[in-house]
Structures are given as structure tokens and as C-alpha cells.
Amino acid sequence: MVLYCYNNLEVIIIISQNRLPLVEAMINYHNSDITPFDVPGHKHGKGNQELDEFLKKYGAYLDVNSMKELDILSDPIGVIKEAEELMAQAYGSDHAFFMVNGTTSSVQAMILAVAKPGDKIILPRNAHKSAINGLILSGAIPVFIQPEIDEKIGIANGVTIESVEIALAQNPDAKAIFLINPTYYGVTSPLKEIIKLAHKHGVAVLADEAHGAHFAFSDILPDSAIKLGADMSSVSMHKTGGSLTQSSVLLLNEGLIEKNKVRSVINLTTSTSASYLLMASLDFARKQLALNGEEMLLRICNLCDKYREKFNTLPGIYSFGKEMIGLKGVNNFDTTKLSVNTNGLKINGYELYDILREKYKIQAELADLNNVLFIISLGDDEESLSILYDALVEISRMYVGTKEVMFKNALLNPQVIVSPRDAYYAHKKRIKLKESINQISGESVMVYPPGIPIITPGEKISEDVINYIEFLKTQHTVITGPEDINLEYIRVLGL
Ligand SMILES: Cc1ncc(COP(=O)(O)O)c(C=O)c1O
């Protein structure tokens, strides 16, 4: 429809309404021959061919809505129920719930299922923003435990049993312990011991397995949280399980948490028009993992071990792996997380990430100051990994060396002053970031991915936090969270 007709305006409106900016960008991406080492784990369909063929054949024809024979996600009694039961069986849990708004909604449902306003949840400070936002939604109070920091590599690892013991002793009224299994970089905490300890105190264990959807299907990978007896787990099927982006699963071992409670919190925020294409992709991913997962994952793990060894022959390149097991906060390691640490190079992680994409058409999952992470999953093979290896051979030759270390440890530990929810709803004022020292933050600031907040609502802003954010602004990273996307200003509590 033409709204105005004045000089050339009519023509401009018609031309611009003819465009499909998003679609055009997606098609350009498709045509640019990128090698993907990011999610989704089906890697352009290669890792789940049955799903790919289904989508090519039926496409929008099977983008349908609930009806008698197709069941309804909010209260399944038919085919969705059956598909969820098969999912639960495949993971060894009592129940499984299909999720169509990512693991974000799954993580938030776990928190809402155990906590009401004022209840305490013990969680590591490197939890994903979905968990922090879950605290805002539920009104739960965080009891943060610090993950163990690997100063050499510059990453946050898991938590120790001792730090959980202390948190539990100081907060015997905590309703749950929330854990990450594994971290983005593949490290797991001593989950078995933590679950045993928590259950001794009648405290539920919630696992964020956004990066561990494949664990349940191979004995050579770390154990899945559900197998170890966790009460709930959120698994990102779309990340490493081979389903479509945004499809996820919430698993439940009944006992401390009831099935009906979980269903009711899921239904608080889930669309009443759940996508059947997303749900169908969960069906395909489950079938493939249950029938062929073990064999496929053995091939992938061997491939990762082989290429990690090759990477480690290159001067300046360090790809960490199972040698980390036994360090504080490292109980086990997911070998399918292949990283490059840049300490031996003249460039930092962000620069390496950009060079790989711009010069070598390689899309990594994420970068931080010291590392770049590549997610290897069901759709990877010798071909994709040799493209990465060849690029690293050249990069090693060009950039081996040292650089000035600007931040020894970018993983900060701000003090919680008020709960995330109280901070979220409190009066706020906008002040210059540079002048915000000792103020209480009214918003989150994070690099995405990984989406782990540098500061969350309710935490005190320190000089280190300001310096780190100022540094990140110079680094071609995507900083999200604050209202002022340029981060000249930040909203803090106060009138
Ligand atoms: C540890 C962790 N938890 C939860 C999520 C949220 O998952 P989703 O993007 O499926 O909503 C992510 C996403 O990257 C994550 O890394």
C-alpha cells in the first residue's frame, strides 16, 4: 500500500517494500560458502539428513497448528505425549517436556518450578543470562558461588564440592542448586558428589545442559545430569543434538519436583501456537541420537582428539583438552568442544575470531579475550576440520609471538547488593558509565555469545567492571543488555 504520494516518495516506498532484508542476508550467507563451527549442531542439515529431507520435501506445508490428531503442547494427550515419552526414555528421565522457545525458557521454567519470591538458589556466577533473568521472573535470591578460574587459559571452569558445601551450610534454606553441565568450553563440575550432597539436605539440583545434549548417548563423554540423579535438566537439542534452532527439552526426575508443577510453569510463558516444525525436529533428533548416537559420537570424539593433537603441533596454538581434568573445578571434559587459546599468538581471541571469518570463511561459536571456541557436532567430518586446520597452519605462521596482556583475568566477581528482581523494578537513573563506580547496576551487560553477564541488576559496579567494559568496547564484540547500546551511559539504582 502506498501511504504518501509526494515527489519521489511513492517510488521509494514501493521499492523498499519489495525488499526482504532478512531473507536476502540469509541467502547471501548460504551462498558465501561458510564452514560452520557454531550452532545449530546439525551444521546446515548435514548432521541430520532425515530432518533436512523432511523440511525440503514438506516445508511450509507441514507448518501446522494444534488439532485433534496432532495433539496440543500445553496439555498433551496424544502424539506429542508419545513423542515426549520417547524423549524421556532416550534420556533415561521420568518425563520430558518439548520446549519451543529455546533453552532460555527451559532454564526459566526450572527456576520457576522450585522458587517463589524470596527463595534462595545457589548458582555459579558464570551462569547464562537466561538463569539471571529467571531470577528476575521468579523473584528468587541468588547465592552466587565462584567458579574456579584457570588463570593460564583465562576461562571460568566448574565449581568444587567444597564451595557448594560452604554455600549449603550458610544457606540451609536454599531451594535448589543450579549447575552448568558442561561450561561453554566443555568443563564439568563434580556433579555426582554435588547431587548426593544436595539430596542429603533435601535440596533440588537443576542442570543447565545447554551444551550437553549429546552426553546421554555416549559413554566416552561426561555423564548426563539426569543419569547422575539431577532433578531437572535443560538440554539444548538444537545446539549439539541435531534439531532446529530454538527447539529444546526439559527433563524431569520426579521426587522433589512434581510433573504437574513443571507443566504449569512451562505454560505460563509458552506460546499457545507451538511450532510443529520445531517439535518435529525434536522427534528426528531423538530418533537419530537414540539409534545411532553412540556410533556417531564415537566418530566425532575421535575426530576431535585427532585434530586437537594436530592443532597442538602448531607453534603458538594451544587447544586445551583432557589434560585439564583434575585441576580445581574440572571434573571431566567434553572433547567435542575444540578451542584455540591465543596466549602464544600476537593476536587476541576476538581478533582471531574476526580473521577466521573474514579471511578463511570459518564461523567460530564464540571468542573471548584469550580463546576461540569451535563446536564440533554430528554434521562435522574430516573435510570441515581440515579446513580449520589449514587456516590455523597459516595463522600460526603469521601470528606466533607474544602481546601485551591487557587483562589478566576478565572474569570479575561483583558484589550482590539487592536481588535481581528488586533491582529490575527499582527506580533508576541514567549516568555516565565512567562515573558509575560503586553504584548498583540496574541492568545487565554482557558479551553475546556467551551471554554470561559481566554485571547483573543488583550488583555493585567496581572500577574493574568499568575498565573491562571500556576495553570490550574497543574489541569488535557484540555487547548486549543495556538500554544504551553504545554503553556511554548505564542505568543504576536511584532517583
Ligand atoms: C549455558 C547456556 N544456558 C542457556 C542458554 C540458552 O539457550 P537458548 O539459546 O536455546 O535459549 C545458552 C545459550 O547459549 C547457554 O549457553
Side-chain angles (χ1 to χ4, degrees):
M1 186 174 69
V2 178
L3 299 176
Y4 303 101
C5 183
Y6 180 71
N7 288 342
N8 284 331
L9 202 53
E10 180 182 338
V11 176
I12 291 166
I13 288 172
I14 289 171
I15 291 173
S16 59
Q17 288 306 323
N18 209 16
R19 285 208 49 220
L20 295 165
L22 175 60
V23 176
E24 287 162 20
M26 288 166 78
I27 291 172
N28 285 343
Y29 170 77
H30 178 266
N31 292 337
S32 60
D33 200 22
I34 298 291
T35 309
F37 290 105
D38 58 344
V39 298
H42 60 65
K43 305 284 174 101
H44 301 175
K46 248 168 70 181
N48 196 336
Q49 282 169 11
E50 207 180 350
L51 169 65
D52 195 34
E53 280 158 25
F54 167 84
L55 292 171
K56 281 178 181 147
K57 184 166 173 194
Y58 297 108
Y61 187 86
L62 280 185
D63 181 27
V64 290
N65 208 346
S66 296
M67 59 189 79
K68 257 189 188 162
E69 70 265 41
L70 295 183
D71 210 356
I72 181 158
L73 183 64
S74 58
D75 302 278
I77 50 168
V79 285
I80 294 179
K81 180 167 181 272
E82 201 185 332
E84 287 185 335
E85 281 167 1
L86 286 170
M87 185 69 83
Q89 196 185 80
Y91 274 96
S93 62
D94 291 336
H95 302 287
F97 303 85
F98 281 10
M99 307 296 290
V100 290
N101 188 24
T103 300
T104 293
S105 60
S106 187
V107 161
Q108 291 169 355
M110 294 199 300
I111 293 174
L112 286 164
V114 294
K116 51 184 191 330
D119 284 344
K120 289 181 189 165
I121 294 193
I122 298 171
L123 73 167
R125 180 56 183 77
N126 58 338
H128 185 256
K129 69 170 183 173
S130 54
I132 307 299
N133 291 341
L135 299 173
I136 294 175
L137 291 175
S138 64
I141 314 282
V143 176
F144 283 124
I145 40 179
Q146 288 309 310
E148 296 300 318
I149 305 295
D150 188 321
E151 296 278 356
K152 196 174 120 218
I153 303 175
I155 59 171
N157 288 329
V159 294
T160 60
I161 182 79
E162 291 79 19
S163 57
V164 176
E165 254 162 5
I166 294 170
L168 265 176
Q170 291 172 351
N171 302 276
D173 53 342
K175 289 288 183 282
I177 300 176
F178 179 97
L179 293 165
I180 310 164
N181 191 52
T183 62
Y184 233 127
Y185 286 106
V187 168
T188 68
S189 300
L191 218 58
K192 192 174 172 185
E193 290 80 1
I194 294 174
I195 293 170
K196 201 170 150 203
L197 177 71
H199 284 174
K200 209 169 89 186
H201 290 79
V203 174
V205 177
L206 317 177
D208 178 345
E209 290 192 303
H211 303 287
H214 50 309
F215 284 3
F217 303 95
S218 170
D219 288 341
I220 52 175
L221 289 165
D223 285 323
S224 75
I226 281 295
K227 179 177 171 192
L228 294 175
D231 300 275
M232 280 199 272
S233 163
S234 296
V235 291
S236 278
M237 216 44 165
H238 68 97
K239 291 198 201 294
T240 54
S243 64
L244 290 180
T245 297
Q246 221 172 304
S247 60
S248 178
V249 180
L250 176 50
L251 304 170
L252 170 70
N253 276 334
E254 239 176 337
L256 293 175
I257 302 156
E258 281 180 12
K259 182 185 177 201
N260 290 343
K261 173 77 185 178
V262 179
R263 179 69 74 197
S264 103
V265 292
I266 291 174
N267 286 346
L268 284 179
T269 52
T270 297
S271 167
T272 47
S273 311
S275 160
Y276 273 79
L277 294 181
L278 293 186
M279 292 191 280
S281 79
L282 288 171
D283 233 7
F284 279 118
R286 184 268 311 151
K287 178 184 166 195
Q288 173 167 270
L289 284 170
L291 299 184
N292 309 315
E294 193 173 353
E295 182 195 319
M296 291 175 91
L297 287 164
L298 177 63
R299 180 183 67 79
I300 295 299
C301 289
N302 288 338
L303 203 59
C304 289
D305 290 344
K306 173 177 159 185
Y307 275 88
R308 180 176 283 106
E309 236 180 275
K310 282 175 69 128
F311 292 179
N312 281 329
T313 63
L314 302 173
I317 303 272
Y318 173 43
S319 181
F320 47 90
K322 288 189 175 157
E323 71 281 3
M324 290 167 76
I325 298 173
L327 294 178
K328 252 184 139 187
V330 187
N331 192 60
N332 208 341
F333 184 81
D334 173 8
T335 196
T336 69
K337 306 292 190 294
L338 204 51
S339 302
V340 168
N341 176 269
T342 57
N343 288 352
L345 299 176
K346 288 180 198 154
I347 47 176
N348 69 28
Y350 299 120
E351 290 165 326
L352 175 58
Y353 177 95
D354 283 347
I355 292 169
L356 283 168
R357 178 60 204 255
E358 281 153 27
K359 185 162 176 207
Y360 299 97
K361 295 186 181 179
I362 288 172
Q363 179 60 51
E365 170 69 9
L366 66 84
D368 65 28
L369 204 49
N370 311 294
N371 303 282
V372 178
L373 169 69
F374 307 93
I375 290 195
I376 314 300
S377 65
L378 307 172
D380 282 295
D381 50 22
E382 283 280 350
E383 193 191 336
S384 61
L385 278 153
S386 61
I387 290 173
L388 178 57
Y389 175 71
D390 290 346
L392 291 176
V393 169
E394 264 190 48
I395 284 168
S396 151
R397 207 176 308 128
M398 288 170 70
Y399 297 108
V400 61
T402 50
K403 59 187 167 296
E404 196 186 328
V405 180
M406 302 176 88
F407 278 90
K408 193 158 177 281
N409 172 18
L411 306 149
L412 311 161
N413 180 11
Q415 203 186 341
V416 179
I417 307 294
V418 299
S419 81
R421 182 185 214 156
D422 287 347
Y424 185 82
Y425 285 112
H427 278 290
K428 295 183 197 68
K429 58 184 178 186
R430 195 169 181 258
I431 62 170
K432 285 212 153 121
L433 174 69
K434 284 191 173 134
E435 291 163 12
S436 65
I437 187 160
N438 288 337
Q439 300 282 333
I440 302 170
S441 182
E443 50 192 2
S444 288
V445 179
M446 73 202 78
V447 175
Y448 201 91
I452 296 165
I454 299 158
I455 190 91
T456 69
E459 286 179 333
K460 195 182 198 176
I461 302 171
S462 64
E463 195 176 351
D464 283 351
V465 165
I466 298 172
N467 290 341
Y468 184 47
I469 296 173
E470 288 294 344
F471 167 73
L472 288 173
K473 281 160 64 178
T474 66
Q475 293 299 310
H476 299 273
T477 57
V478 182
I479 303 180
T480 64
E483 203 173 75
D484 174 17
I485 50 168
N486 298 319
L487 258 164
E488 292 301 318
Y489 292 88
I490 188 162
R491 289 190 310 143
V492 296
L493 268 56
L495 292 172

